């Protein structure tokens, strides 16, 4: 499983800048009756399949440990960011064991936002870890691992 984890971390390093780049197609979501509003995009990283079955939280903890000293961790999502994450994930026909990166921001051209790594446990149940990121983090992203 360790080889698979390194492969996935490589995909994160190469894939997350695409999510954060302006050419990634974020989508605007709003529910004004509940006060939710923002931009989000979800990027499929990999189907971890049976390699992570039942160990989703441990995998997320491993990703968190690798990135925590390089990015500012977010321990709790706001209701708005949680809602945006779920809206972006719902654009996919996701299934248990899949790994996604979700970017949430206040506007389409925001220079900062919340980057959430998500492993699907089951429909509506996710293991996740989140980080605050800004455009300066992109410069150092390839040296994280």
């Amino acid at each position: 499983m360790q080889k698979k984890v390194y492969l996935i971390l490589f995909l994160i390093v190469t894939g997350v800048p695409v999510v954060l780049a302006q050419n990634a197609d974020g989508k605007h979501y709003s529910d004004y009756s509940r006060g939710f509003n923002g931009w989000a995009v979800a990027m499929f990283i990999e189907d971890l399949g049976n390699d992570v079955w039942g160990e989703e939280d441990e995998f997320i903890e491993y990703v968190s440990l690798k990135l925590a000293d390089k990015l500012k961790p977010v321990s709790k999502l706001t209701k708005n960011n949680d809602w945006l994450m779920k809206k972006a994930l719902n654009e996919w026909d996701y299934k248990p064991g899949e790994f996604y990166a979700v970017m949430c921001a206040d506007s389409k051209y925001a220079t900062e936002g919340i980057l959430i790594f998500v492993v699907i446990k089951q429909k509506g149940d996710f293991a996740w870890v989140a980080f605050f990121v800004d455009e300066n983090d992109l410069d150092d992203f390839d040296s994280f691992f």
Side-chain angles (χ1 to χ4, degrees):
M1 177 160 164
Q2 190 166 4
K3 287 182 183 179
K4 187 143 186 133
V5 168
Y6 285 120
L7 173 64
I8 290 167
L9 291 176
F10 172 76
L11 291 171
I12 291 170
V13 169
T14 58
V16 169
V18 172
V19 172
L20 297 174
Q22 292 299 327
N23 62 355
D25 291 333
K27 191 170 181 181
H28 181 253
Y29 299 98
S30 62
D31 183 342
Y32 292 111
S33 67
R34 296 171 59 193
F36 297 151
N37 183 34
W39 287 78
V41 60
M43 185 177 82
F44 173 76
I45 302 292
E46 183 171 349
D47 185 352
L48 303 172
N50 294 335
D51 290 346
V52 77
W53 193 259
E55 300 176 9
E56 296 91 348
D57 293 320
E58 289 86 2
F59 180 79
I60 288 296
E61 184 176 327
Y62 180 80
V63 171
S64 178
L65 288 173
K66 287 293 188 184
L67 295 175
D69 60 335
K70 296 164 180 62
L71 296 174
K72 183 179 175 189
V74 175
S75 61
K76 187 169 176 131
L77 295 177
T78 65
K79 289 181 181 181
N80 191 70
N81 283 329
D82 183 61
W83 178 79
L84 284 170
M85 174 187 72
K86 291 174 182 173
K87 290 301 245 181
L89 285 171
N90 281 335
E91 298 289 331
W92 293 86
D93 184 21
Y94 61 81
K95 64 180 184 176
E98 291 182 339
F99 185 48
Y100 291 84
V102 179
M103 183 69 192
C104 300
D106 292 334
S107 74
K108 183 175 184 176
Y109 301 107
T111 60
E112 60 187 29
I114 303 294
L115 176 62
I116 309 165
F117 296 106
V118 181
V119 176
I120 309 299
K121 290 182 171 186
Q122 58 184 331
K123 185 73 172 170
D125 188 15
F126 315 107
W128 60 268
V129 62
F131 301 94
F132 175 80
V133 294
D134 64 32
E135 63 186 353
N136 296 326
D137 293 325
L138 289 177
D139 296 334
D140 299 326
F141 208 84
D142 58 347
S143 66
F144 281 1
F145 300 100

